[in-house]
Short mmCIF file of all heavy atoms in Angstrom, two decimals:
data_model
loop_
_atom_site.label_atom_id
_atom_site.label_comp_id
_atom_site.label_asym_id
_atom_site.label_seq_id
_atom_site.Cartn_x
_atom_site.Cartn_y
_atom_site.Cartn_z
N GLY A 22 4.44 4.10 1.77
CA GLY A 22 4.40 4.74 0.46
C GLY A 22 4.65 3.77 -0.67
O GLY A 22 5.35 2.76 -0.52
N PHE A 23 4.07 4.10 -1.81
CA PHE A 23 4.18 3.23 -2.97
C PHE A 23 3.95 4.02 -4.26
O PHE A 23 3.25 5.02 -4.25
CB PHE A 23 3.15 2.09 -2.89
CG PHE A 23 1.73 2.57 -2.78
CD1 PHE A 23 0.95 2.78 -3.92
CD2 PHE A 23 1.16 2.82 -1.55
CE1 PHE A 23 -0.35 3.22 -3.81
CE2 PHE A 23 -0.15 3.26 -1.43
CZ PHE A 23 -0.90 3.46 -2.57
N PRO A 24 4.51 3.54 -5.37
CA PRO A 24 4.19 4.13 -6.66
C PRO A 24 2.88 3.51 -7.16
O PRO A 24 2.59 2.35 -6.86
CB PRO A 24 5.37 3.72 -7.55
CG PRO A 24 5.85 2.43 -6.95
CD PRO A 24 5.59 2.55 -5.47
N VAL A 25 2.13 4.26 -7.90
CA VAL A 25 0.88 3.75 -8.46
C VAL A 25 1.23 2.82 -9.62
O VAL A 25 1.98 3.18 -10.52
CB VAL A 25 -0.02 4.91 -8.95
CG1 VAL A 25 -1.25 4.36 -9.65
CG2 VAL A 25 -0.42 5.80 -7.78
N HIS A 26 0.68 1.60 -9.58
CA HIS A 26 0.85 0.63 -10.66
C HIS A 26 -0.52 0.24 -11.19
O HIS A 26 -1.33 -0.31 -10.45
CB HIS A 26 1.55 -0.63 -10.15
CG HIS A 26 3.01 -0.46 -9.92
ND1 HIS A 26 3.80 -1.49 -9.52
CD2 HIS A 26 3.84 0.60 -10.05
CE1 HIS A 26 5.04 -1.08 -9.40
NE2 HIS A 26 5.08 0.20 -9.70
N ALA A 27 -0.78 0.55 -12.45
CA ALA A 27 -2.04 0.14 -13.09
C ALA A 27 -3.26 0.50 -12.25
O ALA A 27 -4.10 -0.35 -11.96
CB ALA A 27 -2.01 -1.35 -13.41
N HIS A 28 -3.34 1.74 -11.82
CA HIS A 28 -4.46 2.25 -11.02
C HIS A 28 -4.53 1.63 -9.63
O HIS A 28 -5.56 1.70 -8.97
CB HIS A 28 -5.81 2.00 -11.71
CG HIS A 28 -5.96 2.62 -13.03
ND1 HIS A 28 -6.63 3.79 -13.23
CD2 HIS A 28 -5.52 2.24 -14.26
CE1 HIS A 28 -6.61 4.10 -14.50
NE2 HIS A 28 -5.93 3.18 -15.15
N SER A 29 -3.47 0.98 -9.18
CA SER A 29 -3.58 0.23 -7.94
C SER A 29 -2.29 0.25 -7.14
O SER A 29 -1.38 1.01 -7.40
CB SER A 29 -4.00 -1.21 -8.26
OG SER A 29 -4.43 -1.85 -7.10
N VAL A 30 -2.26 -0.65 -6.18
CA VAL A 30 -1.15 -0.79 -5.24
C VAL A 30 -0.24 -1.92 -5.73
O VAL A 30 -0.73 -2.99 -6.08
CB VAL A 30 -1.71 -1.15 -3.84
CG1 VAL A 30 -0.62 -1.33 -2.83
CG2 VAL A 30 -2.71 -0.09 -3.40
N PRO A 31 1.08 -1.72 -5.74
CA PRO A 31 1.98 -2.81 -6.14
C PRO A 31 1.83 -4.02 -5.20
O PRO A 31 1.53 -3.87 -4.02
CB PRO A 31 3.38 -2.21 -6.00
CG PRO A 31 3.17 -0.73 -5.97
CD PRO A 31 1.81 -0.50 -5.41
N VAL A 32 2.05 -5.20 -5.73
CA VAL A 32 1.86 -6.44 -4.98
C VAL A 32 2.60 -6.45 -3.64
O VAL A 32 2.01 -6.83 -2.62
CB VAL A 32 2.22 -7.67 -5.84
CG1 VAL A 32 2.22 -8.94 -5.02
CG2 VAL A 32 1.26 -7.78 -7.01
N PRO A 33 3.88 -6.04 -3.57
CA PRO A 33 4.55 -6.07 -2.26
C PRO A 33 3.85 -5.20 -1.20
O PRO A 33 3.78 -5.58 -0.02
CB PRO A 33 5.96 -5.54 -2.55
CG PRO A 33 6.17 -5.84 -3.99
CD PRO A 33 4.82 -5.66 -4.63
N VAL A 34 3.32 -4.06 -1.61
CA VAL A 34 2.61 -3.19 -0.66
C VAL A 34 1.25 -3.80 -0.32
O VAL A 34 0.82 -3.77 0.84
CB VAL A 34 2.47 -1.76 -1.22
CG1 VAL A 34 1.64 -0.89 -0.29
CG2 VAL A 34 3.85 -1.15 -1.44
N HIS A 35 0.57 -4.35 -1.31
CA HIS A 35 -0.70 -5.04 -1.08
C HIS A 35 -0.51 -6.11 0.00
O HIS A 35 -1.26 -6.17 0.99
CB HIS A 35 -1.19 -5.67 -2.38
CG HIS A 35 -2.46 -6.43 -2.27
ND1 HIS A 35 -2.50 -7.72 -1.81
CD2 HIS A 35 -3.73 -6.08 -2.57
CE1 HIS A 35 -3.75 -8.15 -1.83
NE2 HIS A 35 -4.52 -7.16 -2.28
N ASN A 36 0.51 -6.92 -0.17
CA ASN A 36 0.78 -8.00 0.79
C ASN A 36 1.14 -7.45 2.17
O ASN A 36 0.72 -7.99 3.19
CB ASN A 36 1.88 -8.90 0.27
CG ASN A 36 1.46 -9.66 -0.97
OD1 ASN A 36 0.27 -9.82 -1.26
ND2 ASN A 36 2.43 -10.12 -1.74
N PHE A 37 1.92 -6.37 2.21
CA PHE A 37 2.30 -5.75 3.48
C PHE A 37 1.07 -5.24 4.23
O PHE A 37 0.90 -5.52 5.42
CB PHE A 37 3.28 -4.61 3.24
CG PHE A 37 3.56 -3.79 4.47
CD1 PHE A 37 4.41 -4.27 5.45
CD2 PHE A 37 2.96 -2.55 4.65
CE1 PHE A 37 4.66 -3.52 6.60
CE2 PHE A 37 3.21 -1.81 5.78
CZ PHE A 37 4.06 -2.30 6.77
N ILE A 38 0.22 -4.51 3.55
CA ILE A 38 -0.97 -3.94 4.19
C ILE A 38 -1.87 -5.05 4.75
O ILE A 38 -2.42 -4.93 5.84
CB ILE A 38 -1.74 -3.02 3.23
CG1 ILE A 38 -0.91 -1.76 2.94
CG2 ILE A 38 -3.11 -2.64 3.79
CD1 ILE A 38 -1.49 -0.87 1.85
N LYS A 39 -1.98 -6.14 4.01
CA LYS A 39 -2.83 -7.25 4.45
C LYS A 39 -2.30 -7.92 5.72
O LYS A 39 -3.06 -8.61 6.41
CB LYS A 39 -2.99 -8.28 3.34
CG LYS A 39 -3.72 -7.77 2.10
CD LYS A 39 -5.12 -7.32 2.39
CE LYS A 39 -6.07 -8.48 2.37
NZ LYS A 39 -7.46 -8.10 2.60
N THR A 40 -1.02 -7.73 6.04
CA THR A 40 -0.46 -8.36 7.25
C THR A 40 -0.60 -7.49 8.49
O THR A 40 -0.29 -7.96 9.59
CB THR A 40 1.04 -8.68 7.07
OG1 THR A 40 1.78 -7.45 6.98
CG2 THR A 40 1.30 -9.55 5.86
N LEU A 41 -1.05 -6.26 8.34
CA LEU A 41 -1.13 -5.36 9.49
C LEU A 41 -2.18 -5.83 10.50
O LEU A 41 -3.24 -6.34 10.12
CB LEU A 41 -1.45 -3.94 9.03
CG LEU A 41 -0.39 -3.27 8.17
CD1 LEU A 41 -0.87 -1.91 7.69
CD2 LEU A 41 0.93 -3.15 8.92
N ASN A 42 -1.87 -5.63 11.76
CA ASN A 42 -2.80 -5.99 12.82
C ASN A 42 -4.00 -5.05 12.80
O ASN A 42 -3.86 -3.86 12.47
CB ASN A 42 -2.12 -5.90 14.18
CG ASN A 42 -1.03 -6.94 14.35
OD1 ASN A 42 -1.14 -8.05 13.84
ND2 ASN A 42 0.02 -6.58 15.06
N PRO A 43 -5.17 -5.54 13.17
CA PRO A 43 -6.34 -4.67 13.26
C PRO A 43 -6.06 -3.47 14.17
O PRO A 43 -5.40 -3.61 15.21
CB PRO A 43 -7.42 -5.57 13.87
CG PRO A 43 -6.99 -6.95 13.50
CD PRO A 43 -5.49 -6.92 13.52
N GLY A 44 -6.50 -2.31 13.77
CA GLY A 44 -6.32 -1.10 14.55
C GLY A 44 -4.99 -0.39 14.33
O GLY A 44 -4.74 0.64 14.95
N THR A 45 -4.15 -0.93 13.47
CA THR A 45 -2.87 -0.28 13.18
C THR A 45 -3.12 1.09 12.55
O THR A 45 -3.91 1.20 11.61
CB THR A 45 -2.02 -1.13 12.21
OG1 THR A 45 -1.76 -2.38 12.81
CG2 THR A 45 -0.71 -0.43 11.86
N LYS A 46 -2.49 2.11 13.08
CA LYS A 46 -2.62 3.45 12.50
C LYS A 46 -1.71 3.52 11.29
O LYS A 46 -0.49 3.30 11.41
CB LYS A 46 -2.27 4.52 13.52
CG LYS A 46 -3.30 4.60 14.62
CD LYS A 46 -2.98 5.71 15.59
CE LYS A 46 -4.03 5.72 16.69
NZ LYS A 46 -3.73 6.73 17.69
N LEU A 47 -2.30 3.82 10.14
CA LEU A 47 -1.60 3.77 8.86
C LEU A 47 -1.80 5.07 8.10
O LEU A 47 -2.93 5.51 7.91
CB LEU A 47 -2.13 2.60 8.04
CG LEU A 47 -1.56 2.36 6.65
CD1 LEU A 47 -0.08 1.98 6.74
CD2 LEU A 47 -2.34 1.25 5.96
N ALA A 48 -0.70 5.68 7.68
CA ALA A 48 -0.74 6.88 6.84
C ALA A 48 -0.16 6.49 5.49
O ALA A 48 0.99 6.06 5.39
CB ALA A 48 0.08 8.00 7.47
N LEU A 49 -0.97 6.62 4.45
CA LEU A 49 -0.56 6.22 3.10
C LEU A 49 -0.09 7.41 2.29
O LEU A 49 -0.62 8.51 2.42
CB LEU A 49 -1.73 5.56 2.37
CG LEU A 49 -2.28 4.29 3.01
CD1 LEU A 49 -3.63 3.94 2.41
CD2 LEU A 49 -1.30 3.14 2.84
N PHE A 50 0.91 7.19 1.43
CA PHE A 50 1.31 8.19 0.44
C PHE A 50 1.72 7.46 -0.82
O PHE A 50 2.15 6.30 -0.77
CB PHE A 50 2.41 9.11 0.98
CG PHE A 50 3.72 8.44 1.30
CD1 PHE A 50 4.75 8.43 0.38
CD2 PHE A 50 3.91 7.84 2.54
CE1 PHE A 50 5.97 7.82 0.69
CE2 PHE A 50 5.12 7.24 2.86
CZ PHE A 50 6.15 7.23 1.93
N SER A 51 1.54 8.12 -1.94
CA SER A 51 1.88 7.48 -3.21
C SER A 51 2.54 8.48 -4.15
O SER A 51 2.43 9.69 -3.97
CB SER A 51 0.65 6.88 -3.88
OG SER A 51 -0.22 7.89 -4.31
N THR A 52 3.23 7.93 -5.13
CA THR A 52 3.83 8.74 -6.17
C THR A 52 3.31 8.25 -7.51
O THR A 52 3.01 7.07 -7.68
CB THR A 52 5.37 8.64 -6.15
OG1 THR A 52 5.75 7.27 -6.27
CG2 THR A 52 5.95 9.21 -4.86
N HIS A 53 3.18 9.20 -8.43
CA HIS A 53 2.71 8.85 -9.77
C HIS A 53 3.03 9.97 -10.72
O HIS A 53 2.88 11.15 -10.37
CB HIS A 53 1.20 8.59 -9.75
CG HIS A 53 0.70 8.01 -11.03
ND1 HIS A 53 0.25 8.79 -12.07
CD2 HIS A 53 0.61 6.74 -11.45
CE1 HIS A 53 -0.12 8.01 -13.07
NE2 HIS A 53 0.09 6.76 -12.71
N GLY A 54 3.47 9.64 -11.90
CA GLY A 54 3.82 10.65 -12.89
C GLY A 54 2.64 11.03 -13.76
O GLY A 54 2.68 10.88 -14.97
#
């Protein structure tokens, strides 16, 4: 999960997602006001 920043994903989450192994089952959720 992550808060929406400037229509996108915050850098720490961006970097985390890019490190995931291929085939990792991922469920995303976000918060935004």
